[in-house]
Amino acid sequence: MYNERGYETFPWDEHIGRIEAVGDAIENLSTEEFEDYFGEFYETVAGSLSLDSGGDISALFAAIQEKANAYYIDVYLDNDGQVEATSEVRQIIPTDDWQEELESPPEDNNRVPDARIELTPMPLPSIELLQPIVVHQTSCQIRDCYIVMGEEPPEEYRQLGFGKYKFASLYQREDLSLYEDYTRLDADIPGYTVGLGLEEYPEIEGQVKSLLSAFADE
């Protein structure tokens, strides 16, 4: 219905076309532009965390959990498909109404966001390393949208990692064996890869993989 007749059949936060457009727009930002739009997001999810954890990922993750499970930032595109604005950064804290909050567009804006970026805190030494992770996150969101519709995503979106918070929680329900846990970067799911784009930074890539996978153990 969406592809052939143009009907808005998706909720705003699960609109595959818009999430894809946001991922492409973020990928095409220069480092300076990315910092303008996502500087606060970087400082919130990464800048305040120390890389000096002595290799103890569990201790680092416990410290992260004291801050928040995850954070989100809304992204708005202009008519040319370029990033036009981002919102302030907000916490995702599990409460009785956390899912309703995530699915609700902000009331303080006349526009519905084109996508909502959601990330767990992670230690990154520079904002340049955050950009491919944010792009990767949009791919994982698109993967989630296909999975919960009961469809295998296109090959380019068969990636492992943290996508949408509400679906990550769904994958990890012990009483629901319908889904694999796609949030785990060490998951053995045929046809799925990581694709973080941090191959030139193996130590950082290892830490990020551990942190994103650790979400599944909490």
Side-chain angles (χ1 to χ4, degrees), residues 129-163:
L129 296 180
L130 181 64
Q131 188 167 359
I133 291 173
V134 171
V135 174
H136 173 261
Q137 210 266 337
T138 62
S139 294
C140 291
Q141 286 196 25
I142 293 172
R143 173 209 66 208
D144 287 346
C145 293
Y146 278 101
I147 293 297
V148 297
M149 285 192 297
E151 296 186 19
E152 192 74 27
E155 186 174 353
E156 64 266 32
Y157 298 118
R158 295 175 193 174
Q159 298 186 14
L160 300 171
F162 188 82

Side-chain angles (χ1 to χ4, degrees), residues 22-94:
V22 167
D24 291 341
I26 293 173
E27 187 173 22
N28 291 326
L29 291 174
S30 67
T31 300
E32 293 76 17
E33 291 170 332
F34 183 79
E35 186 168 7
D36 286 342
Y37 292 116
F38 292 92
E40 180 190 359
F41 195 54
Y42 169 73
E43 290 297 330
T44 304
V45 304
S48 62
L49 298 175
S50 171
L51 285 168
D52 186 18
S53 61
D56 189 346
I57 292 297
S58 297
L60 178 58
F61 194 74
I64 289 171
Q65 289 290 73
E66 292 181 0
K67 294 177 175 291
N69 277 36
Y71 295 91
Y72 70 84
I73 186 172
D74 293 327
V75 182
Y76 301 85
L77 303 182
D78 62 20
N79 292 332
D80 295 322
Q82 306 299 312
V83 177
E84 182 177 35
T86 52
S87 70
E88 65 179 35
V89 180
R90 293 182 172 89
Q91 291 186 0
I92 303 174
I93 301 177

Side-chain angles (χ1 to χ4, degrees), residues 90-116:
R90 293 182 172 89
Q91 291 186 0
I92 303 174
I93 301 177
T95 60
D96 291 341
D97 58 356
W98 66 266
Q99 183 165 337
E100 180 180 347
E101 177 188 345
L102 277 181
E103 293 175 346
S104 301
E107 296 179 357
D108 57 350
N109 198 302
N110 294 326
R111 295 172 54 189
V112 173
D114 289 285
R116 177 166 283 175

